[in-house]
Amino acid sequence: MRFGIFYEHQLPKPWNDGDEARLFHQALEQVVLADRLGYDYAWEVEHHFLEEYSHSSAPEVFLAACAALTKTIRVGHGIRQVIPNYNHPARTAEGLATLDIVSNGRLDFGIGEGATRLELGGFAIPAKEKRALALEAAEQIANMLVMDPYPGFQGQGFSFPCRNVVPKPIQKPHPPMWMACTNRDTIKVAASIGVGALAFSFVDPEEAQAWAEIYYGIIRSDDCVPIGHAVNANLAMVSNFSVHPDRAEAIRRGQEGFEFFSYAVNALVAHDAIPGRSTLFADFQKSRARSDEEIIAASKAAARNANGIGTPADIRDHVRAFRDAGVDQVIFLQQAGRNKHEHICQSLELFAAEVMPEFKAEVAEREARKAAELAPYIAAAMARKRWMAPLADADIPVVPASRAKAQINEVLK
């Protein structure tokens, strides 16, 4: 089992001078700590204009800082908005390759499309076309990362001439590709294009097992036709995360923030928004059904807290259930709402000391067994891939000079 941490950079109002800077710098401190403690991934989302919920609009900057400050933890776009109106595919490819170089080959590339009118409308993206636009762009980004030169493309969302997109990434053929998934339908899409599934929905282990069966069933089937130049067969599930020796204290430290995360995901789609005047956190507090103390009282009768909030023993059982369901990575959402920096760090340390060693000890054998079992299916999937034809040297178009030779000579006189 692999373990990741995940950032939206949530900042509930009221805001004070310095709050955003403090949020980002504390997140960097947390990533440095996670690297030292042996966590495997640091994932960063990309969202735009989603006040309070996500101030992470430039993940490439944050992840570059993470890469510079760490040694072994992988840095992941979880996800990068790939539709051309957000980020031109060539610019995305250039940024990915550069970040892979800066991180010494530690980059993972998750693709996404956005869901809210604040984002889609801000960049004039038709909601009904976003999935097709994202998949088209993602396939061409993979081609740009690999092909020398990239032959050019005429598509639904963008057109681009023949160019050699540089630099090229360290990881060959390119960094592992993932896709944001929120339900069974998107799990099917991720498997059908041969990318990892970043499951950003809070599901119980039983539902996680159903998702794993669907995902790996498609990976093993003729329906898997890779979009990239390699198959990344992995399923990651997001989880709440607040760990303390006293379960009640773990709930006090983390429960409200994670409830806000879930509330905001729905509200940003279902509620009207007034830019610059958001009251997301205040609205959430008014709507909250139970207090922390009521939740604590209800949890005392439970054998374990099954949502990622609790004692090390609670969290150990929680992770075991996901492992046994077929999940490859648990991504901890440790920064949500008003969760405190010092509490996040204490949770990371306690989990690493008391829970992580059991799962680290088995990861190499588990992954080797999985790789051997999936190898023939992945080979068959790659044989089905629709490859972009490279250009013969004679067919590479000449790019005309900006000025005729006679004009240049005249300028140089």
Side-chain angles (χ1 to χ4, degrees), residues 21-37:
R22 188 177 303 107
L23 176 71
F24 276 82
H25 285 286
Q26 288 179 345
L28 288 173
E29 291 178 25
Q30 293 160 24
V31 173
V32 170
L33 175 62
D35 178 54
R36 179 171 61 80
L37 294 173

Side-chain angles (χ1 to χ4, degrees), residues 25-67:
H25 285 286
Q26 288 179 345
L28 288 173
E29 291 178 25
Q30 293 160 24
V31 173
V32 170
L33 175 62
D35 178 54
R36 179 171 61 80
L37 294 173
Y39 288 81
D40 300 290
Y41 290 82
W43 295 98
E44 171 86 339
V45 77
E46 177 181 347
H47 280 305
H48 301 277
F49 324 124
L50 304 188
E51 305 168 65
E52 300 189 82
Y53 175 71
S54 178
H55 291 231
S56 176
S57 54
E60 68 280 10
V61 178
F62 180 78
L63 292 174
C66 291

